[in-house]
Amino acid sequence: QVQLVESGGGLVQPGGSLRLSCAASGFTFSSTTMSWYRQAPGKERELVAVITSVGGRTNYADSVKGRFTISRDNAENTLYLQMNRLKAEDTAVYYCKADGGIFVSWGQGTPVTVSS
Protein backbone atom coordinates (compact mmCIF):
# COMPACT_ATOMS: atom_id res chain seq x y z
CA GLN A 1 0.00 0.00 0.00
CA VAL A 2 1.45 3.34 -1.09
CA GLN A 3 1.75 5.79 1.77
CA LEU A 4 3.12 9.32 1.94
CA VAL A 5 3.31 11.14 5.27
CA GLU A 6 4.35 14.80 5.37
CA SER A 7 5.70 16.56 8.42
CA GLY A 8 7.56 19.71 9.39
CA GLY A 9 4.94 22.36 8.75
CA GLY A 10 4.06 25.06 11.22
CA LEU A 11 4.02 28.77 11.95
CA VAL A 12 7.07 30.79 10.97
CA GLN A 13 7.84 34.50 10.72
CA PRO A 14 8.54 36.13 7.36
CA GLY A 15 12.16 35.58 6.43
CA GLY A 16 12.35 32.36 8.41
CA SER A 17 12.98 28.79 7.33
CA LEU A 18 11.28 25.41 7.54
CA ARG A 19 12.16 21.95 6.29
CA LEU A 20 9.36 19.69 5.22
CA SER A 21 9.71 15.92 5.09
CA CYS A 22 7.70 13.28 3.29
CA ALA A 23 8.17 9.69 4.44
CA ALA A 24 7.32 7.21 1.69
CA SER A 25 6.46 3.53 1.84
CA GLY A 26 4.78 0.83 -0.21
CA PHE A 27 6.60 1.48 -3.47
CA THR A 28 10.11 1.71 -4.91
CA PHE A 29 10.94 5.24 -3.84
CA SER A 30 14.26 5.45 -5.67
CA SER A 31 12.53 4.78 -9.00
CA THR A 32 9.78 7.34 -8.55
CA THR A 33 9.60 10.99 -9.51
CA MET A 34 8.59 13.01 -6.47
CA SER A 35 7.09 16.46 -6.18
CA TRP A 36 5.93 19.06 -3.70
CA TYR A 37 2.70 20.93 -4.34
CA ARG A 38 0.91 23.54 -2.29
CA GLN A 39 -2.61 24.87 -2.02
CA ALA A 40 -3.33 28.24 -0.51
CA PRO A 41 -6.80 29.13 0.81
CA GLY A 42 -9.15 29.84 -2.07
CA LYS A 43 -6.59 28.88 -4.70
CA GLU A 44 -5.87 25.85 -6.83
CA ARG A 45 -3.13 23.40 -5.98
CA GLU A 46 0.14 24.34 -7.67
CA LEU A 47 3.44 22.64 -8.33
CA VAL A 48 6.27 23.90 -6.14
CA ALA A 49 9.17 21.62 -7.05
CA VAL A 50 9.90 18.26 -8.64
CA ILE A 51 12.85 15.87 -8.47
CA THR A 52 13.32 12.99 -10.88
CA SER A 53 14.21 9.46 -9.91
CA VAL A 54 17.12 9.10 -12.31
CA GLY A 55 19.77 11.75 -11.94
CA GLY A 56 17.84 13.68 -9.35
CA ARG A 57 17.11 16.54 -11.73
CA THR A 58 15.10 19.32 -10.15
CA ASN A 59 12.71 21.98 -11.33
CA TYR A 60 11.00 24.78 -9.42
CA ALA A 61 8.12 27.18 -9.71
CA ASP A 62 9.39 30.66 -10.49
CA SER A 63 7.91 31.94 -7.24
CA VAL A 64 10.23 29.76 -5.12
CA LYS A 65 13.41 29.60 -7.21
CA GLY A 66 16.45 30.53 -5.17
CA ARG A 67 14.57 30.12 -1.88
CA PHE A 68 13.38 26.49 -1.82
CA THR A 69 15.40 23.31 -2.36
CA ILE A 70 13.92 19.89 -3.05
CA SER A 71 16.00 16.83 -2.24
CA ARG A 72 15.59 13.14 -1.62
CA ASP A 73 17.25 10.44 0.47
CA ASN A 74 16.68 7.18 -1.35
CA ALA A 75 18.23 5.18 1.49
CA GLU A 76 15.66 6.59 3.92
CA ASN A 77 12.75 6.76 1.42
CA THR A 78 12.27 10.39 2.32
CA LEU A 79 11.61 13.53 0.31
CA TYR A 80 12.53 16.96 1.64
CA LEU A 81 11.71 20.58 0.92
CA GLN A 82 14.01 23.16 2.48
CA MET A 83 12.22 26.51 2.49
CA ASN A 84 14.22 29.65 3.20
CA ARG A 85 13.35 33.34 3.19
CA LEU A 86 9.71 32.50 3.60
CA LYS A 87 7.08 35.03 2.61
CA ALA A 88 3.46 35.48 3.60
CA GLU A 89 2.44 34.29 0.15
CA ASP A 90 4.08 30.93 0.85
CA THR A 91 1.29 30.20 3.33
CA ALA A 92 -0.44 27.03 2.16
CA VAL A 93 -0.94 23.36 2.81
CA TYR A 94 2.03 21.52 1.30
CA TYR A 95 1.59 18.07 -0.24
CA CYS A 96 4.06 15.56 -1.54
CA LYS A 97 3.20 13.54 -4.61
CA ALA A 98 4.60 10.31 -5.96
CA ASP A 99 4.34 9.71 -9.70
CA GLY A 100 5.30 6.16 -10.51
CA GLY A 101 3.90 6.12 -14.02
CA ILE A 102 1.34 3.43 -13.30
CA PHE A 103 0.28 5.09 -10.08
CA VAL A 104 -0.01 8.55 -8.56
CA SER A 105 -0.31 9.08 -4.83
CA TRP A 106 -0.65 12.11 -2.56
CA GLY A 107 0.09 12.68 1.07
CA GLN A 108 -2.36 14.24 3.50
CA GLY A 109 -0.56 17.58 3.55
CA THR A 110 1.19 19.67 6.16
CA PRO A 111 0.19 23.29 6.77
CA VAL A 112 2.66 26.14 6.59
CA THR A 113 1.74 29.58 7.88
CA VAL A 114 4.06 32.52 7.37
CA SER A 115 3.02 35.39 9.59
CA SER A 116 4.41 37.83 12.09
Side-chain angles (χ1 to χ4, degrees):
Q1 179 182 355
V2 175
Q3 191 171 17
L4 300 170
V5 180
E6 301 98 332
S7 61
L11 174 64
V12 63
Q13 291 187 344
S17 298
L18 280 176
R19 188 175 83 153
L20 306 183
S21 300
C22 173
S25 61
F27 62 100
T28 306
F29 180 79
S30 59
S31 301
T32 304
T33 292
M34 299 296 297
S35 307
W36 286 100
Y37 282 72
R38 68 185 180 186
Q39 187 165 18
K43 295 189 176 181
E44 293 190 355
R45 193 171 297 190
E46 63 173 356
L47 176 65
V48 175
V50 58
I51 184 166
T52 62
S53 57
V54 178
R57 294 185 302 275
T58 59
N59 201 11
Y60 298 90
D62 287 343
S63 59
V64 307
K65 278 181 183 176
R67 300 188 299 122
F68 290 12
T69 302
I70 188 172
S71 62
R72 63 192 300 158
D73 184 336
N74 289 336
E76 296 293 331
N77 288 352
T78 303
L79 178 73
Y80 299 101
L81 185 68
Q82 178 67 44
M83 306 187 294
N84 298 328
R85 290 184 282 135
L86 283 159
K87 306 175 182 180
E89 50 263 43
D90 295 317
T91 295
V93 177
Y94 285 72
Y95 299 88
C96 67
K97 175 188 172 186
D99 188 342
I102 59 173
F103 77 93
V104 174
S105 185
W106 295 86
Q108 84 289 349
T110 185
V112 171
T113 301
V114 184
S115 175
S116 55

